[in-house]
Amino acid sequence: MKLVFHGHDYRYAVEQSLLAFFPQERPVYDGDQGEDWAQVDLACRGETWTAVTELCRGGRARGEASVTVPAGTDPYEAEREKQKAVKLSFFHAARALTGVTPPWGALTGIRPGKLAARLLEAGKTEEETERELSEVYCVSRQRRRMCLETAKAGLAAQRDLGPRDIAVYIGIPFCPTRCAYCSFVSNSVEKSFHLVEPYLQALLAEVASAGAMVRELGLRVRAFYMGGGTPTTLKAEQMDRLLTAFEAAFDLSACRERTVEAGRPDTIDPEKLGVLKAHQITRVSINPQTMEDTVLQAIGRRHSADDIRRAMAQVRAAQFESVNMDLIAGLPEDTPAGFRRSLDECLELGADNITIHTLSLKKGSRITLEGTRLPGPEEVGEMLDYADPTLRAAGFAPYYLYRQKYMSGSFENTGWCMPGQENLYNIYIMEELCSILSLGAGGSTKMVDPGRERIERVFNLKYPLEYTQRPEKIAANQQAFAEFYRSL
Ligand code: SF4
Protein backbone atom coordinates (compact mmCIF):
# COMPACT_ATOMS: atom_id res chain seq x y z
CA MET A 1 0.00 0.00 0.00
CA LYS A 2 1.35 3.42 -0.95
CA LEU A 3 1.82 5.60 2.15
CA VAL A 4 1.98 9.38 1.88
CA PHE A 5 2.79 11.58 4.86
CA HIS A 6 2.48 15.33 5.34
CA GLY A 7 3.83 17.09 8.42
CA HIS A 8 5.69 14.08 9.87
CA ASP A 9 7.68 10.99 8.99
CA TYR A 10 6.38 8.48 11.53
CA ARG A 11 6.87 5.50 9.23
CA TYR A 12 7.20 2.90 11.94
CA ALA A 13 4.03 4.05 13.74
CA VAL A 14 1.94 3.92 10.57
CA GLU A 15 3.45 0.65 9.36
CA GLN A 16 2.55 -1.03 12.65
CA SER A 17 -1.03 0.21 12.37
CA LEU A 18 -1.17 -0.95 8.76
CA LEU A 19 -0.03 -4.47 9.70
CA ALA A 20 -2.62 -4.74 12.48
CA PHE A 21 -5.44 -4.38 9.93
CA PHE A 22 -3.88 -5.63 6.71
CA PRO A 23 -1.19 -8.20 7.54
CA GLN A 24 -0.60 -9.02 3.88
CA GLU A 25 0.09 -5.41 2.91
CA ARG A 26 3.61 -4.05 2.66
CA PRO A 27 4.26 -0.30 2.86
CA VAL A 28 5.43 1.44 -0.30
CA TYR A 29 6.73 5.00 -0.38
CA ASP A 30 7.72 5.53 -3.99
CA GLY A 31 5.96 5.24 -7.34
CA ASP A 32 2.35 5.73 -8.40
CA GLN A 33 -0.49 6.05 -5.93
CA GLY A 34 -2.23 2.94 -7.32
CA GLU A 35 -5.61 1.79 -5.98
CA ASP A 36 -4.59 1.12 -2.38
CA TRP A 37 -3.14 4.05 -0.49
CA ALA A 38 -3.22 5.99 2.76
CA GLN A 39 -2.45 9.64 3.29
CA VAL A 40 -1.61 10.53 6.88
CA ASP A 41 -1.30 14.26 7.72
CA LEU A 42 -0.23 15.85 10.99
CA ALA A 43 -0.74 19.53 11.75
CA CYS A 44 -0.45 21.76 14.79
CA ARG A 45 -2.68 24.56 16.05
CA GLY A 46 -1.53 26.04 19.36
CA GLU A 47 -0.90 23.13 21.66
CA THR A 48 -3.15 20.76 19.73
CA TRP A 49 -1.74 18.32 17.20
CA THR A 50 -4.30 16.78 14.87
CA ALA A 51 -3.70 13.78 12.62
CA VAL A 52 -5.98 12.94 9.72
CA THR A 53 -5.83 9.70 7.74
CA GLU A 54 -7.49 9.22 4.36
CA LEU A 55 -7.54 5.53 3.49
CA CYS A 56 -8.41 3.96 0.15
CA ARG A 57 -8.62 0.17 -0.22
CA GLY A 58 -11.73 -1.21 -1.90
CA GLY A 59 -13.56 1.87 -0.56
CA ARG A 60 -12.63 5.07 1.21
CA ALA A 61 -12.61 6.15 4.85
CA ARG A 62 -11.31 9.00 6.99
CA GLY A 63 -10.01 8.99 10.55
CA GLU A 64 -8.99 11.85 12.83
CA ALA A 65 -7.34 12.12 16.26
CA SER A 66 -5.92 14.97 18.33
CA VAL A 67 -3.53 15.24 21.25
CA THR A 68 -2.48 18.16 23.42
CA VAL A 69 1.22 18.86 23.81
CA PRO A 70 1.67 21.77 26.22
CA ALA A 71 4.72 24.02 25.84
CA GLY A 72 7.69 22.69 27.79
CA THR A 73 6.69 19.01 27.40
CA ASP A 74 9.68 16.72 27.45
CA PRO A 75 10.65 16.21 23.75
CA TYR A 76 10.50 12.41 24.05
CA GLU A 77 6.99 12.61 25.52
CA ALA A 78 5.94 15.13 22.83
CA GLU A 79 7.08 12.75 20.11
CA ARG A 80 5.16 9.92 21.71
CA GLU A 81 1.97 11.99 21.83
CA LYS A 82 2.25 13.03 18.19
CA GLN A 83 2.81 9.43 17.15
CA LYS A 84 -0.22 8.48 19.19
CA ALA A 85 -2.36 10.93 17.20
CA VAL A 86 -1.03 9.49 13.93
CA LYS A 87 -1.71 5.88 14.99
CA LEU A 88 -5.18 6.68 16.30
CA SER A 89 -6.16 8.50 13.12
CA PHE A 90 -5.05 5.50 11.03
CA PHE A 91 -6.88 3.17 13.38
CA HIS A 92 -10.16 5.12 13.10
CA ALA A 93 -9.92 5.20 9.30
CA ALA A 94 -9.09 1.49 9.01
CA ARG A 95 -11.82 0.50 11.43
CA ALA A 96 -14.38 2.57 9.53
CA LEU A 97 -13.27 0.98 6.26
CA THR A 98 -13.14 -2.67 7.41
CA GLY A 99 -15.69 -2.76 10.24
CA VAL A 100 -13.06 -4.73 12.20
CA THR A 101 -11.58 -3.88 15.61
CA PRO A 102 -8.33 -5.83 16.13
CA PRO A 103 -7.95 -7.52 19.54
CA TRP A 104 -5.39 -4.93 20.63
CA GLY A 105 -7.39 -2.01 19.20
CA ALA A 106 -5.10 0.86 18.30
CA LEU A 107 -2.22 -0.42 20.44
CA THR A 108 0.75 -1.38 18.30
CA GLY A 109 4.32 -2.32 19.03
CA ILE A 110 6.05 -5.19 20.71
CA ARG A 111 5.05 -4.42 24.29
CA PRO A 112 1.42 -3.41 24.58
CA GLY A 113 1.68 -3.81 28.38
CA LYS A 114 4.15 -0.96 28.59
CA LEU A 115 1.44 1.67 28.26
CA ALA A 116 -0.51 0.18 31.17
CA ALA A 117 2.67 0.05 33.27
CA ARG A 118 3.40 3.68 32.46
CA LEU A 119 -0.11 4.78 33.41
CA LEU A 120 0.00 2.83 36.69
CA GLU A 121 3.45 4.22 37.47
CA ALA A 122 2.14 7.73 36.82
CA GLY A 123 -0.39 7.18 39.60
CA LYS A 124 -3.50 6.15 37.67
CA THR A 125 -5.68 3.55 39.32
CA GLU A 126 -6.32 0.21 37.69
CA GLU A 127 -9.84 1.36 36.80
CA GLU A 128 -8.55 4.56 35.18
CA THR A 129 -5.90 2.61 33.27
CA GLU A 130 -8.44 0.10 32.04
CA ARG A 131 -10.78 2.89 30.99
CA GLU A 132 -8.04 4.54 28.93
CA LEU A 133 -7.19 1.24 27.24
CA SER A 134 -10.85 0.79 26.45
CA GLU A 135 -12.01 4.28 25.50
CA VAL A 136 -8.92 5.70 23.79
CA TYR A 137 -7.30 2.58 22.36
CA CYS A 138 -10.36 0.29 21.94
CA VAL A 139 -8.51 -2.72 23.40
CA SER A 140 -10.76 -5.78 23.90
CA ARG A 141 -11.86 -6.68 27.43
CA GLN A 142 -9.77 -9.86 27.51
CA ARG A 143 -6.61 -8.03 26.38
CA ARG A 144 -7.18 -5.14 28.81
CA ARG A 145 -7.23 -7.60 31.66
CA MET A 146 -4.05 -9.32 30.44
CA CYS A 147 -2.41 -5.94 29.98
CA LEU A 148 -3.10 -4.89 33.55
CA GLU A 149 -2.02 -8.21 35.02
CA THR A 150 1.27 -8.30 33.12
CA ALA A 151 1.93 -4.63 33.88
CA LYS A 152 1.50 -5.31 37.59
CA ALA A 153 3.83 -8.36 37.40
CA GLY A 154 6.41 -6.12 35.69
CA LEU A 155 6.13 -3.42 38.34
CA ALA A 156 6.50 -6.02 41.12
CA ALA A 157 9.67 -7.41 39.48
CA GLN A 158 10.99 -3.88 39.02
CA ARG A 159 10.59 -3.05 42.73
CA ASP A 160 12.90 -5.93 43.60
CA LEU A 161 15.74 -4.81 41.30
CA GLY A 162 18.71 -2.72 42.38
CA PRO A 163 20.60 -0.24 40.17
CA ARG A 164 23.46 -2.65 39.47
CA ASP A 165 21.39 -5.77 38.90
CA ILE A 166 21.66 -7.62 35.60
CA ALA A 167 20.63 -10.92 34.00
CA VAL A 168 22.94 -13.21 32.04
CA TYR A 169 21.98 -15.16 28.94
CA ILE A 170 23.94 -17.95 27.26
CA GLY A 171 22.98 -19.01 23.74
CA ILE A 172 23.50 -22.52 22.31
CA PRO A 173 22.58 -22.18 18.63
CA PHE A 174 22.19 -25.86 17.77
CA CYS A 175 19.05 -28.01 17.37
CA PRO A 176 18.47 -31.65 16.41
CA THR A 177 16.56 -30.59 13.27
CA ARG A 178 15.24 -27.27 12.05
CA CYS A 179 11.53 -26.57 12.72
CA ALA A 180 9.50 -25.37 9.74
CA TYR A 181 8.53 -22.07 11.38
CA CYS A 182 12.00 -21.27 12.73
CA SER A 183 13.79 -18.13 11.68
CA PHE A 184 16.48 -18.25 14.36
CA VAL A 185 20.05 -18.84 13.52
CA SER A 186 19.98 -22.41 14.63
CA ASN A 187 22.18 -25.06 13.10
CA SER A 188 20.95 -28.62 12.97
CA VAL A 189 23.43 -30.71 14.93
CA GLU A 190 23.53 -33.33 12.20
CA LYS A 191 24.95 -30.84 9.73
CA SER A 192 27.17 -28.97 12.16
CA PHE A 193 28.24 -31.53 14.74
CA HIS A 194 31.88 -30.65 14.12
CA LEU A 195 31.17 -27.06 15.22
CA VAL A 196 29.81 -27.88 18.67
CA GLU A 197 33.08 -28.47 20.51
CA PRO A 198 34.97 -25.47 19.03
CA TYR A 199 31.88 -23.37 19.81
CA LEU A 200 31.91 -24.56 23.40
CA GLN A 201 35.63 -23.73 23.72
CA ALA A 202 35.04 -20.17 22.52
CA LEU A 203 32.03 -19.86 24.80
CA LEU A 204 34.00 -21.03 27.84
CA ALA A 205 36.54 -18.29 27.14
CA GLU A 206 33.78 -15.69 26.86
CA VAL A 207 32.14 -16.89 30.08
CA ALA A 208 35.44 -16.47 31.93
CA SER A 209 36.15 -12.96 30.65
CA ALA A 210 32.52 -11.81 31.06
CA GLY A 211 32.45 -13.08 34.66
CA ALA A 212 35.64 -11.17 35.46
CA MET A 213 34.18 -8.01 33.91
CA VAL A 214 30.91 -8.29 35.85
CA ARG A 215 32.79 -8.72 39.13
CA GLU A 216 35.03 -5.76 38.38
CA LEU A 217 32.03 -3.55 37.55
CA GLY A 218 30.35 -4.55 40.80
CA LEU A 219 27.22 -5.87 39.09
CA ARG A 220 24.85 -8.39 40.62
CA VAL A 221 23.43 -11.31 38.62
CA ARG A 222 19.73 -11.78 39.46
CA ALA A 223 18.69 -14.24 36.76
CA PHE A 224 20.39 -16.67 34.44
CA TYR A 225 18.86 -18.10 31.26
CA MET A 226 20.34 -20.56 28.82
CA GLY A 227 18.44 -20.66 25.52
CA GLY A 228 19.04 -21.24 21.86
CA GLY A 229 18.58 -23.21 19.73
CA THR A 230 18.30 -26.09 22.11
CA PRO A 231 20.90 -26.04 24.91
CA THR A 232 20.28 -29.71 25.68
CA THR A 233 21.76 -30.68 22.32
CA LEU A 234 25.02 -30.44 24.30
CA LYS A 235 26.16 -33.77 25.72
CA ALA A 236 25.86 -34.18 29.49
CA GLU A 237 29.61 -33.82 29.86
CA GLN A 238 29.67 -30.63 27.72
CA MET A 239 26.78 -29.12 29.70
CA ASP A 240 28.62 -29.96 32.92
CA ARG A 241 31.77 -28.20 31.69
CA LEU A 242 29.81 -25.12 30.67
CA LEU A 243 27.83 -24.79 33.89
CA THR A 244 30.93 -25.45 36.00
CA ALA A 245 32.74 -22.64 34.17
CA PHE A 246 29.75 -20.36 34.56
CA GLU A 247 29.56 -20.91 38.31
CA ALA A 248 33.29 -20.32 38.66
CA ALA A 249 33.22 -17.09 36.68
CA PHE A 250 30.15 -15.38 38.14
CA ASP A 251 29.05 -14.66 41.70
CA LEU A 252 25.60 -16.25 41.71
CA SER A 253 24.81 -15.69 45.40
CA ALA A 254 22.03 -13.19 44.54
CA CYS A 255 20.77 -15.05 41.48
CA ARG A 256 17.08 -15.78 42.02
CA GLU A 257 16.57 -18.28 39.24
CA ARG A 258 18.53 -20.37 36.76
CA THR A 259 16.70 -21.51 33.66
CA VAL A 260 17.75 -23.92 30.92
CA GLU A 261 15.65 -24.47 27.84
CA ALA A 262 15.43 -28.19 27.30
CA GLY A 263 13.26 -27.38 24.34
CA ARG A 264 13.18 -30.57 22.34
CA PRO A 265 12.25 -33.82 24.10
CA ASP A 266 14.57 -35.76 21.79
CA THR A 267 17.53 -34.04 23.48
CA ILE A 268 16.58 -34.84 27.07
CA ASP A 269 17.67 -37.82 29.15
CA PRO A 270 18.05 -38.49 32.88
CA GLU A 271 21.82 -38.00 32.72
CA LYS A 272 21.52 -34.46 31.32
CA LEU A 273 18.73 -33.59 33.75
CA GLY A 274 21.00 -34.85 36.56
CA VAL A 275 23.71 -32.42 35.41
CA LEU A 276 21.22 -29.52 35.44
CA LYS A 277 20.06 -30.44 38.94
CA ALA A 278 23.65 -30.75 40.17
CA HIS A 279 24.24 -27.17 38.98
CA GLN A 280 21.15 -25.84 40.76
CA ILE A 281 19.13 -25.14 37.66
CA THR A 282 15.75 -24.13 39.09
CA ARG A 283 13.67 -24.06 35.97
CA VAL A 284 13.56 -26.04 32.75
CA SER A 285 11.49 -25.37 29.69
CA ILE A 286 10.15 -28.20 27.54
CA ASN A 287 8.75 -26.81 24.32
CA PRO A 288 6.51 -29.26 22.50
CA GLN A 289 4.60 -26.46 20.68
CA THR A 290 1.84 -29.05 20.12
CA MET A 291 0.89 -32.48 21.44
CA GLU A 292 -0.56 -33.53 18.06
CA ASP A 293 1.60 -36.01 16.14
CA THR A 294 0.37 -34.79 12.74
CA VAL A 295 1.33 -31.22 13.63
CA LEU A 296 4.71 -32.27 15.03
CA GLN A 297 5.37 -33.96 11.71
CA ALA A 298 4.21 -30.92 9.74
CA ILE A 299 6.62 -28.62 11.60
CA GLY A 300 9.58 -30.90 10.97
CA ARG A 301 10.04 -32.33 14.44
CA ARG A 302 11.51 -35.78 14.44
CA HIS A 303 9.82 -36.89 17.65
CA SER A 304 6.31 -37.83 18.72
CA ALA A 305 3.96 -36.65 21.45
CA ASP A 306 4.92 -39.80 23.36
CA ASP A 307 8.51 -38.56 23.48
CA ILE A 308 7.24 -35.37 25.12
CA ARG A 309 5.30 -37.43 27.68
CA ARG A 310 8.43 -39.45 28.42
CA ALA A 311 10.55 -36.29 28.75
CA MET A 312 8.04 -34.72 31.11
CA ALA A 313 8.05 -37.86 33.29
CA GLN A 314 11.84 -37.59 33.54
CA VAL A 315 11.65 -33.88 34.33
CA ARG A 316 9.03 -34.48 37.02
CA ALA A 317 11.19 -37.22 38.53
CA ALA A 318 14.14 -34.80 38.70
CA GLN A 319 11.96 -32.34 40.70
CA PHE A 320 12.85 -28.92 39.33
CA GLU A 321 11.29 -25.94 41.11
CA SER A 322 9.48 -24.86 37.98
CA VAL A 323 8.68 -26.44 34.61
CA ASN A 324 7.58 -24.47 31.58
CA MET A 325 5.94 -25.80 28.44
CA ASP A 326 5.58 -23.75 25.25
CA LEU A 327 2.68 -24.09 22.83
CA ILE A 328 2.07 -22.29 19.55
CA ALA A 329 -1.42 -21.38 18.32
CA GLY A 330 -1.69 -21.43 14.53
CA LEU A 331 0.77 -24.16 13.52
CA PRO A 332 0.34 -25.88 10.14
CA GLU A 333 -2.22 -28.73 10.19
CA ASP A 334 -3.43 -27.71 13.65
CA THR A 335 -7.09 -27.09 14.48
CA PRO A 336 -8.84 -25.49 17.46
CA ALA A 337 -9.70 -29.02 18.69
CA GLY A 338 -6.05 -30.09 18.35
CA PHE A 339 -4.86 -27.02 20.21
CA ARG A 340 -7.41 -27.69 22.99
CA ARG A 341 -6.10 -31.24 23.40
CA SER A 342 -2.50 -29.95 23.49
CA LEU A 343 -3.20 -27.39 26.20
CA ASP A 344 -5.26 -29.81 28.28
CA GLU A 345 -2.45 -32.31 28.17
CA CYS A 346 0.22 -29.77 29.15
CA LEU A 347 -1.87 -29.01 32.22
CA GLU A 348 -2.25 -32.71 32.98
CA LEU A 349 1.51 -33.21 32.58
CA GLY A 350 2.09 -30.81 35.45
CA ALA A 351 3.65 -27.69 33.86
CA ASP A 352 3.42 -24.70 36.21
CA ASN A 353 4.43 -22.25 33.47
CA ILE A 354 2.76 -22.41 30.08
CA THR A 355 3.72 -19.98 27.37
CA ILE A 356 1.18 -19.58 24.60
CA HIS A 357 2.74 -18.21 21.44
CA THR A 358 0.92 -17.18 18.31
CA LEU A 359 2.62 -18.25 15.11
CA SER A 360 4.67 -15.43 13.67
CA LEU A 361 5.93 -16.02 10.17
CA LYS A 362 9.26 -14.41 9.62
CA LYS A 363 11.00 -14.21 6.31
CA GLY A 364 13.56 -17.00 6.78
CA SER A 365 11.16 -19.72 7.95
CA ARG A 366 10.48 -22.80 5.87
CA ILE A 367 6.69 -22.32 6.11
CA THR A 368 7.02 -18.91 4.47
CA LEU A 369 9.26 -20.30 1.78
CA GLU A 370 7.12 -23.38 1.04
CA GLY A 371 3.69 -21.75 1.34
CA THR A 372 2.29 -24.40 3.76
CA ARG A 373 -1.46 -24.25 4.65
CA LEU A 374 -2.13 -22.66 8.02
CA PRO A 375 -5.13 -22.12 10.30
CA GLY A 376 -6.74 -18.73 9.63
CA PRO A 377 -6.93 -15.85 12.13
CA GLU A 378 -10.45 -16.90 13.26
CA GLU A 379 -9.21 -20.36 14.18
CA VAL A 380 -6.20 -18.91 15.96
CA GLY A 381 -8.56 -16.58 17.84
CA GLU A 382 -10.62 -19.62 18.84
CA MET A 383 -7.48 -21.31 20.19
CA LEU A 384 -6.54 -18.28 22.28
CA ASP A 385 -10.13 -17.87 23.46
CA TYR A 386 -9.91 -21.38 24.83
CA ALA A 387 -6.51 -20.84 26.43
CA ASP A 388 -7.45 -17.81 28.53
CA PRO A 389 -10.34 -19.22 30.62
CA THR A 390 -8.82 -22.72 30.72
CA LEU A 391 -5.55 -21.49 32.17
CA ARG A 392 -7.33 -19.20 34.62
CA ALA A 393 -9.55 -22.07 35.78
CA ALA A 394 -6.37 -24.10 36.42
CA GLY A 395 -5.02 -21.30 38.66
CA PHE A 396 -2.69 -19.64 36.13
CA ALA A 397 -2.37 -15.89 35.49
CA PRO A 398 -0.57 -14.03 32.68
CA TYR A 399 2.70 -12.41 33.78
CA TYR A 400 4.41 -11.23 30.60
CA LEU A 401 3.35 -10.70 27.03
CA TYR A 402 4.71 -9.38 23.80
CA ARG A 403 3.83 -9.18 20.17
CA GLN A 404 5.82 -9.76 17.01
CA LYS A 405 5.53 -8.61 13.46
CA TYR A 406 3.55 -10.80 11.05
CA MET A 407 1.73 -12.49 13.86
CA SER A 408 -1.33 -14.52 12.99
CA GLY A 409 -4.44 -12.39 13.62
CA SER A 410 -2.38 -9.63 15.28
CA PHE A 411 -2.53 -11.47 18.63
CA GLU A 412 0.25 -11.93 21.19
CA ASN A 413 2.61 -14.31 23.02
CA THR A 414 1.76 -14.70 26.67
CA GLY A 415 3.56 -16.30 29.58
CA TRP A 416 1.14 -17.83 32.08
CA CYS A 417 2.11 -19.28 35.42
CA MET A 418 0.89 -20.47 38.77
CA PRO A 419 1.25 -17.85 41.53
CA GLY A 420 4.90 -17.32 42.47
CA GLN A 421 6.28 -19.23 39.47
CA GLU A 422 6.98 -16.17 37.30
CA ASN A 423 10.13 -16.47 35.20
CA LEU A 424 11.87 -13.24 36.15
CA TYR A 425 14.22 -13.31 33.18
CA ASN A 426 11.26 -13.13 30.79
CA ILE A 427 9.85 -10.15 32.67
CA TYR A 428 13.24 -8.39 32.81
CA ILE A 429 13.80 -8.72 29.09
CA MET A 430 10.26 -7.90 27.99
CA GLU A 431 9.82 -4.90 30.25
CA GLU A 432 13.44 -3.80 29.74
CA LEU A 433 13.94 -3.62 33.50
CA CYS A 434 17.69 -4.31 33.61
CA SER A 435 20.67 -5.09 31.43
CA ILE A 436 20.89 -8.49 29.79
CA LEU A 437 24.46 -9.62 29.22
CA SER A 438 24.29 -12.08 26.36
CA LEU A 439 27.03 -14.64 25.76
CA GLY A 440 27.45 -16.89 22.74
CA ALA A 441 26.49 -16.59 19.07
CA GLY A 442 23.26 -14.99 17.90
CA GLY A 443 22.37 -13.07 21.05
CA SER A 444 22.25 -9.37 21.75
CA THR A 445 23.38 -7.62 24.88
CA LYS A 446 21.01 -4.95 26.06
CA MET A 447 22.32 -2.24 28.39
CA VAL A 448 19.69 -0.48 30.47
CA ASP A 449 20.52 2.38 32.82
CA PRO A 450 18.92 2.28 36.30
CA GLY A 451 16.43 5.01 35.33
CA ARG A 452 15.52 3.01 32.20
CA GLU A 453 15.94 6.09 30.08
CA ARG A 454 19.02 5.01 28.20
CA ILE A 455 19.02 1.67 26.42
CA GLU A 456 21.85 0.53 24.18
CA ARG A 457 22.50 -2.75 22.38
CA VAL A 458 25.44 -4.63 20.97
CA PHE A 459 24.98 -7.70 18.83
CA ASN A 460 26.94 -10.90 18.99
CA LEU A 461 28.10 -12.57 15.81
CA LYS A 462 25.28 -14.67 14.41
CA TYR A 463 26.83 -17.93 13.31
CA PRO A 464 28.82 -20.42 15.42
CA LEU A 465 31.70 -20.58 12.95
CA GLU A 466 32.30 -16.82 12.80
CA TYR A 467 31.79 -16.64 16.57
CA THR A 468 34.65 -19.08 17.11
CA GLN A 469 36.86 -17.34 14.54
CA ARG A 470 36.45 -13.73 15.67
CA PRO A 471 37.11 -13.37 19.41
CA GLU A 472 37.85 -9.68 18.82
CA LYS A 473 34.11 -9.08 18.40
CA ILE A 474 33.45 -10.58 21.83
CA ALA A 475 36.13 -8.31 23.30
CA ALA A 476 34.61 -5.25 21.58
CA ASN A 477 31.13 -6.06 22.93
CA GLN A 478 32.48 -6.49 26.44
CA GLN A 479 34.28 -3.19 26.17
CA ALA A 480 31.05 -1.47 25.12
CA PHE A 481 29.25 -3.06 28.07
CA ALA A 482 31.94 -1.96 30.54
CA GLU A 483 32.01 1.56 29.14
CA PHE A 484 28.25 1.83 29.45
CA TYR A 485 28.45 1.09 33.19
CA ARG A 486 31.51 3.26 33.73
CA SER A 487 29.66 6.19 32.15
CA LEU A 488 26.71 6.00 34.57
S1 SF4 B 1 13.72 -25.84 18.46
FE1 SF4 B 1 13.45 -23.62 18.34
S2 SF4 B 1 15.43 -22.78 17.70
FE2 SF4 B 1 15.43 -25.01 17.27
S3 SF4 B 1 14.80 -25.18 15.13
FE3 SF4 B 1 12.96 -25.39 16.39
S4 SF4 B 1 12.14 -23.31 16.57
FE4 SF4 B 1 14.23 -23.14 15.83
Side-chain angles (χ1 to χ4, degrees):
M1 178 183 284
K2 175 86 186 281
L3 298 179
V4 181
F5 302 155
H6 294 131
H8 68 98
D9 195 21
Y10 294 137
R11 288 187 180 204
Y12 185 71
V14 177
E15 287 174 11
Q16 292 292 301
S17 307
L18 174 71
L19 272 179
F21 279 93
F22 311 110
Q24 309 309 328
E25 286 284 0
R26 295 292 173 265
V28 177
Y29 293 94
D30 302 315
D32 293 340
Q33 188 97 319
E35 289 184 0
D36 299 341
W37 53 267
Q39 180 174 322
V40 188
D41 299 347
L42 180 67
C44 169
R45 178 174 291 180
E47 294 183 337
T48 304
W49 289 81
T50 300
V52 176
T53 295
E54 293 280 349
L55 183 60
C56 183
R57 191 179 188 269
R60 264 180 101 136
R62 183 179 184 282
E64 185 174 324
S66 294
V67 292
T68 306
V69 183
T73 303
D74 165 65
Y76 180 70
E77 180 62 25
E79 280 296 290
R80 192 154 58 199
E81 283 299 302
K82 287 187 266 177
Q83 289 191 29
K84 175 178 156 185
V86 163
K87 282 188 206 172
L88 285 173
S89 75
F90 190 98
F91 169 79
H92 291 308
R95 189 164 67 155
L97 188 70
T98 60
V100 170
T101 304
W104 284 100
L107 276 191
T108 60
I110 295 169
R111 301 177 185 86
K114 244 187 167 175
L115 173 68
R118 213 170 50 236
L119 295 172
L120 291 172
E121 257 184 312
K124 296 222 178 202
T125 64
E126 285 182 35
E127 292 69 33
E128 288 166 337
T129 303
E130 198 193 339
R131 202 174 317 127
E132 179 150 350
L133 291 172
S134 166
E135 291 174 6
V136 178
Y137 293 95
C138 306
V139 178
S140 73
R141 196 164 163 274
Q142 186 182 334
R143 263 81 198 175
R144 292 201 299 273
R145 187 175 178 197
M146 282 165 63
C147 228
L148 275 169
E149 288 168 317
T150 54
K152 285 196 292 178
L155 291 172
Q158 187 184 342
R159 279 194 289 275
D160 183 50
L161 279 174
R164 294 192 84 77
D165 285 353
I166 64 164
V168 178
Y169 175 88
I170 291 183
I172 306 293
F174 301 99
C175 288
T177 55
R178 193 171 163 84
C179 302
Y181 55 84
C182 184
S183 63
F184 292 116
V185 179
S186 175
N187 291 249
S188 96
V189 168
E190 275 168 10
K191 286 189 197 147
S192 51
F193 181 72
H194 61 289
L195 289 177
V196 177
E197 188 54 37
Y199 179 78
L200 185 60
Q201 289 304 324
L203 186 56
L204 292 174
E206 187 184 12
V207 164
S209 57
M213 173 187 70
V214 165
R215 283 175 193 268
E216 194 206 316
L217 292 169
L219 303 176
R220 201 164 67 138
V221 179
R222 301 309 304 278
F224 164 60
Y225 194 104
M226 194 188 298
T230 307
T232 39
T233 46
L234 293 182
K235 292 178 192 149
E237 168 275 320
Q238 291 172 321
M239 181 65 84
D240 185 38
R241 258 190 291 153
L242 177 56
L243 289 172
T244 302
F246 177 65
E247 287 163 344
F250 289 85
D251 175 1
L252 298 171
S253 54
C255 188
R256 291 189 55 194
E257 63 176 28
R258 304 185 196 185
T259 303
V260 171
E261 275 189 16
R264 305 266 292 252
D266 42 348
T267 63
I268 301 168
D269 60 40
E271 189 190 2
K272 288 184 195 177
L273 294 174
V275 169
L276 301 184
K277 276 296 279 186
H279 288 283
Q280 297 162 56
I281 297 305
T282 54
R283 182 179 182 272
V284 292
S285 186
I286 311 290
N287 304 331
Q289 318 304 8
T290 174
M291 294 299 290
E292 299 283 286
D293 281 328
T294 46
V295 184
L296 284 169
Q297 220 174 351
I299 63 173
R301 290 286 182 100
R302 224 182 284 153
H303 64 78
S304 66
D306 273 343
D307 292 322
I308 301 163
R309 293 175 191 117
R310 176 193 50 78
M312 277 301 284
Q314 292 172 357
V315 165
R316 271 201 312 272
Q319 298 189 331
F320 290 93
E321 283 173 31
S322 180
V323 180
N324 175 75
M325 293 182 89
D326 273 11
L327 290 177
I328 299 180
L331 286 173
E333 304 300 335
D334 208 359
T335 59
F339 180 84
R340 278 201 297 275
R341 284 191 293 270
S342 295
L343 177 56
D344 290 348
E345 186 158 6
C346 287
L347 287 167
E348 276 163 30
L349 288 172
D352 50 43
N353 258 256
I354 296 183
T355 311
I356 306 284
H357 294 266
T358 306
L359 186 67
S360 165
L361 285 181
K362 294 176 199 144
K363 278 186 216 141
S365 68
R366 207 147 46 78
I367 298 178
T368 318
L369 301 175
E370 291 171 4
T372 312
R373 193 199 66 78
L374 296 164
E378 296 76 21
E379 284 176 289
V380 177
E382 222 181 292
M383 296 175 189
L384 298 178
D385 285 348
Y386 178 74
D388 187 301
T390 305
L391 285 162
R392 287 183 191 282
F396 286 64
Y399 72 97
Y400 80 99
L401 67 84
Y402 66 101
R403 297 166 75 202
Q404 289 163 286
K405 261 189 177 180
Y406 314 125
M407 204 164 223
S408 214
S410 192
F411 295 113
E412 66 285 316
N413 299 326
T414 310
W416 296 78
C417 72
M418 296 293 279
Q421 299 290 9
E422 292 83 2
N423 179 222
L424 295 171
Y425 177 86
N426 281 331
I427 302 181
Y428 295 163
I429 195 165
M430 282 309 147
E431 302 295 326
E432 300 182 317
L433 296 183
C434 68
S435 294
I436 309 285
L437 175 61
S438 191
L439 316 180
S444 66
T445 288
K446 192 185 279 186
M447 296 159 273
V448 183
D449 79 334
R452 295 164 62 214
E453 274 159 14
R454 196 174 132 212
I455 297 181
E456 291 176 18
R457 290 175 178 80
V458 286
F459 298 93
N460 301 2
L461 289 166
K462 265 190 173 179
Y463 300 99
L465 184 61
E466 57 176 353
Y467 172 80
T468 57
Q469 290 174 339
R470 291 185 50 200
E472 68 276 11
K473 175 63 176 151
I474 296 170
N477 283 359
Q478 286 184 2
Q479 197 178 335
F481 188 85
E483 275 166 16
F484 180 87
Y485 275 97
R486 288 191 188 115
S487 72
L488 295 179

